[in-house]
Amino acid sequence: MRILVINPGSTTTKIAVYENENRLFVKTFYHSPDDLSSFSTILSQYDYRRDLIIDELKKEDLFYGFAAIVGRGGLLKPISSGVYEVNELMKSDLRNALMQHACNLGGLLAEEISLLIPGCKAYIADPVVVDELEDVARISGSPLLPRLSVFHALNHKAIAHKYARSINKKYEELNLVVAHLGGGISVAAHRQGKVIDVNNALDGSGSFSPERAGTLPARQLVELCFSGKYTEDEIVKMIRGKGGLVAYLGTTDVQVVIKRIEEGDKKAELILKAMIYNIAKEIGAMCAALCGKVDSIVLTGGIAYSSYCVNKLNEYISFLAPINIFPGEDEMEALAFNALRALKREQTCEEYI
């Protein structure tokens, strides 16, 4: 079964072609600020990205025979984990999402391109809005501000399944704390196949990250908002996009920060230590959410490649549970394998309602 994977990001569009489990082709289109400057919204980039994808597939003589096209899921209403066929309601919700992000284009692109190929299905899988929180995890302290589940669900679920397979267990048999360490950081408590608690990795809770501010002092944030010095958009960018490491050190690249530390930069050392310290506290909190019954702490994402960061983090958390490391993320493979399971009916294809 041939599957096309489409993964739109803020500065890239990634595509891959799979034949069953085998990847035949992969391509990343990089979008510079100049490339995107003429588009006022994410949605207005749609035709530009679609044409890049179709033209590339035709150039490589790959634009045929797809059984399914699977796109990265967008900022939809909260849904359970799984594979969803794109329908009219989903398309409407993606076009009118409350938050703009390039991932909203994934399902739309998959559906339109699928219509050009006879018998082709269009799916999304495990979008960032996967919500399996226990009720107690939703209570924030203000009934006006419930806690929301927005995290790297696709990679969390894929890596949790991969770890389970590595020890000949089922994901549903395990209690795991999974920490995705990338541009955004999400730490979740996985209890027997469900993510019962996780920080909102997009809009402000948990550890700060290379580009996100994480949890901030509430009263000081209120004062900042009403100071008259910043617009709402500027405040949002301080929280998401220009927060965390980049706010303190001017870079989102952890390896650049480590190089500065090696050259004697004490501020860089303090800020990176603080980020690792906050990640450790989140992991400890999720161990508590599982009542200390944790089979493994699983570290993933790009920062998990860094022995400097992993070793420093281990100093804080090694007493909690065994630690296993699956560095990086393969969202393309995770999307493809989800679609393949749906096509083979090894996994129920859910309806978005």
Side-chain angles (χ1 to χ4, degrees):
M1 294 183 182
R2 180 169 287 209
I3 297 165
L4 171 63
V5 181
I6 302 174
N7 185 351
S10 56
T11 60
T12 61
T13 300
K14 300 176 183 178
I15 61 172
V17 176
Y18 283 78
E19 194 79 60
N20 294 324
E21 292 90 354
N22 301 313
R23 186 158 68 187
L24 305 180
F25 174 78
V26 63
K27 172 78 174 184
T28 299
F29 302 98
Y30 294 94
H31 311 306
S32 70
D34 288 342
D35 292 332
L36 302 180
S37 62
S38 62
F39 302 108
S40 59
T41 65
I42 296 292
L43 196 58
S44 64
Q45 300 171 14
Y46 178 84
D47 290 350
Y48 161 71
R49 297 195 191 222
R50 178 201 60 206
D51 292 346
L52 282 176
I53 294 167
I54 293 175
D55 290 348
E56 183 68 20
L57 291 171
K58 287 182 175 179
K59 184 182 82 174
E60 297 292 332
D61 195 26
L62 290 169
F63 194 60
Y64 67 92
F66 292 113
I69 302 176
V70 56
R72 183 181 176 192
L75 293 161
L76 298 160
K77 67 185 73 171
I79 57 177
S80 297
S81 175
V83 178
Y84 289 77
E85 189 164 1
V86 179
N87 60 20
E88 291 301 318
L89 177 59
M90 182 187 294
K91 291 193 294 181
S92 176
D93 285 356
L94 288 170
R95 292 191 188 102
N96 299 288
L98 293 176
M99 292 180 284
Q100 285 202 51
H101 191 281
C103 65
N104 292 333
L105 300 176
L108 298 173
L109 290 165
E111 198 267 348
E112 181 174 343
I113 296 173
S114 75
L115 295 177
L116 303 175
I117 299 167
C120 184
K121 299 283 191 180
Y123 297 130
I124 66 165
D126 284 341
V128 295
V129 291
V130 164
D131 185 347
E132 300 170 334
L133 298 185
E134 290 193 324
D135 288 342
V136 69
R138 302 181 191 278
I139 309 302
S140 70
S142 169
L144 301 176
L145 302 169
R147 298 194 189 281
L148 303 176
S149 177
V150 183
F151 71 111
H152 306 87
L154 182 64
N155 194 46
H156 268 254
K157 291 284 185 173
I159 292 301
H161 280 284
K162 184 177 286 190
Y163 169 70
R165 288 194 300 271
S166 74
I167 60 169
N168 296 315
K169 295 271 191 178
K170 292 183 178 179
Y171 168 52
E172 293 77 12
E173 297 173 341
L174 299 172
N175 287 351
L176 305 172
V177 172
V178 179
H180 174 102
L181 311 176
I185 289 172
S186 55
V187 182
H190 295 239
R191 187 176 67 200
Q192 297 177 344
K194 299 288 185 183
V195 175
I196 64 166
D197 200 354
V198 65
N199 64 295
N200 182 335
L202 181 65
D203 274 334
S205 70
S207 170
F208 70 85
S209 76
E211 62 179 41
R212 294 169 197 169
T215 301
L216 295 172
R219 178 56 188 257
Q220 291 166 248
L221 180 59
V222 170
E223 291 173 353
L224 197 67
C225 291
F226 286 89
S227 68
K229 297 178 181 179
Y230 306 100
T231 65
E232 179 182 350
D233 185 57
E234 287 171 332
I235 294 288
V236 171
K237 285 180 179 175
M238 289 180 195
I239 293 170
R240 170 174 26 107
K242 294 185 177 180
L245 288 186
V246 72
Y248 285 104
L249 301 174
T251 181
T252 61
D253 191 328
V254 170
Q255 291 306 315
V256 169
V257 175
I258 293 170
K259 187 173 186 297
R260 285 164 58 174
I261 292 170
E262 291 169 345
E263 293 170 351
D265 187 331
K266 294 300 182 184
K267 180 181 179 182
E269 183 177 15
L270 175 62
I271 299 304
L272 187 57
K273 181 178 181 180
M275 188 181 81
I276 294 167
Y277 173 74
N278 276 274
I279 295 167
K281 289 200 296 182
E282 282 296 304
I283 290 172
M286 292 305 161
C287 287
L290 293 169
C291 301
K293 298 174 182 176
V294 182
D295 294 295
S296 178
I297 297 167
V298 181
L299 306 180
T300 184
I303 296 173
Y305 281 114
S306 167
S307 57
Y308 180 97
C309 292
V310 169
N311 291 340
K312 294 291 185 184
L313 186 55
N314 283 355
E315 292 175 12
Y316 289 110
I317 65 172
S318 59
F319 74 98
L320 292 167
I323 298 167
N324 288 274
I325 303 168
F326 292 80
E329 57 185 299
D330 195 340
E331 292 180 329
M332 309 302 279
E333 179 181 289
L335 286 167
F337 286 13
N338 270 285
L340 184 60
R341 286 194 294 270
L343 289 170
K344 290 182 174 180
R345 296 182 178 162
E346 296 171 356
Q347 180 172 342
T348 302
C349 186
E350 308 292 342
E351 181 183 5
Y352 182 76
I353 55 175

